[in-house]
Amino acid sequence: MPKKILIISGSPKKDGNTTALIEWFQEGIITKGGIPDIVYAAFLKYKFPGCTSCRACQKSEKYECVIDDDARSVLLKMAKADIIVMATPLYFFGPSAQLKIIMDRMFSLYKWDNAAGTMKTPLQGKTLILLASAFEGEGLDALEKPFTLIARYTGMSFDSLIIANAGVSGDIRNKDGVKEKIVALGKRIL
Ligand SMILES: Cc1cc2nc3c(=O)[nH]c(=O)nc-3n(C[C@H](O)[C@H](O)[C@H](O)COP(=O)(O)O)c2cc1C
């Protein structure tokens, strides 16, 4: 069975650095028989600008957000994927808001039993990968931290490639050695 790879782009630029990273990562996985599915978080339609904290998902056994919009279908894809790739530009020392909306809506993929002190999630056993780029190099650890914590919390393995000094959108294509690194990660992950 080929592995299912879900790539979520958090960049509002379709021709920018994040897109280049995704393109190269795909090149790697396709050579190994992987089937990528790409979602552009910035171009999805949402009923609300983030998680509403309604907590209705916690009253159901299903790993589904009750808000029936585009984020909901991304979450369903996430639950079925083997590998989840989150690709984002560094925006003020964190992921883009476009990606963060999806990350917060992942609340519906966790089922907490506070009395028992347990949490169940279909994310357990999957792989989470962070691909990111930044204009400079400051704060890359801050960007990576929430992803490492989410991976640890949910029982996913984690890998990342963050490219510093990537310039503005599209400049990363002129940086020596980046493409090779990302293609290699795509190959290695399968
Ligand atoms: C709103 C915004 C915030 C940014 N914040 C940072 C930052 O804190 N540090 C940094 O090094 N680059 C920052 N950048 C630059 C981007 O992270 C960088 O150019 C990235 O490679 C762009 O990726 P993209 O072409 O996919 O949008 C910012 C860019 C924007 C538009």
Side-chain angles (χ1 to χ4, degrees):
M1 246 326 234
K3 288 197 173 164
K4 288 197 190 103
I5 300 121
L6 176 65
I7 304 173
I8 305 168
S9 170
S11 176
K13 308 293 292 249
K14 277 198 171 161
D15 55 354
N17 291 341
T18 308
T19 299
L21 296 179
I22 290 173
E23 200 181 292
W24 297 331
F25 182 80
Q26 279 196 98
E27 204 175 304
I29 52 175
I30 287 169
T31 60
K32 298 293 283 292
I35 305 171
D37 182 5
I38 307 183
V39 165
Y40 295 90
F43 301 97
L44 300 178
K45 297 275 177 282
Y46 303 110
K47 285 194 176 156
F48 302 97
C51 173
T52 62
S53 187
C54 70
R55 314 226 170 191
C57 59
Q58 298 303 312
K59 295 184 185 108
S60 143
E61 289 293 306
K62 292 182 185 167
Y63 291 103
E64 280 180 13
C65 179
V66 298
I67 301 167
D68 189 7
D69 62 6
D70 289 351
R72 186 174 194 250
S73 50
V74 176
L75 297 163
L76 293 172
K77 285 181 182 193
M78 259 189 203
K80 289 187 186 149
D82 299 297
I83 298 169
I84 299 164
V85 181
M86 294 190 172
T88 183
L90 175 70
Y91 277 2
F92 298 109
F93 314 116
S96 70
Q98 290 88 337
L99 181 59
K100 188 66 167 60
I101 287 179
I102 299 287
M103 291 166 78
D104 289 350
R105 295 277 297 269
M106 285 168 73
F107 199 84
S108 56
L109 297 181
Y110 309 141
K111 298 289 176 194
W112 288 274
D113 182 338
N114 291 336
T118 59
M119 188 277 288
K120 284 194 284 185
T121 174
L123 298 172
Q124 185 162 19
K126 299 182 191 299
T127 299
L128 177 66
I129 295 174
L130 169 66
L131 298 179
S133 66
F135 184 76
E136 296 168 323
E138 180 84 38
L140 303 184
D141 50 346
L143 169 67
E144 191 171 40
K145 191 78 184 173
F147 295 89
T148 57
L149 292 174
I150 286 170
R152 196 197 310 159
Y153 187 62
T154 54
M156 291 192 276
S157 58
F158 179 72
D159 213 327
S160 69
L161 248 178
I162 305 177
I163 310 298
N165 306 310
V168 296
S169 300
D171 286 356
I172 205 168
R173 292 186 187 274
N174 305 319
K175 258 182 94 72
D176 286 342
V178 176
K179 178 178 178 180
E180 290 73 14
K181 269 193 206 163
I182 307 284
V183 172
L185 175 64
K187 285 185 182 163
R188 176 159 54 81
I189 218 72
L190 285 186

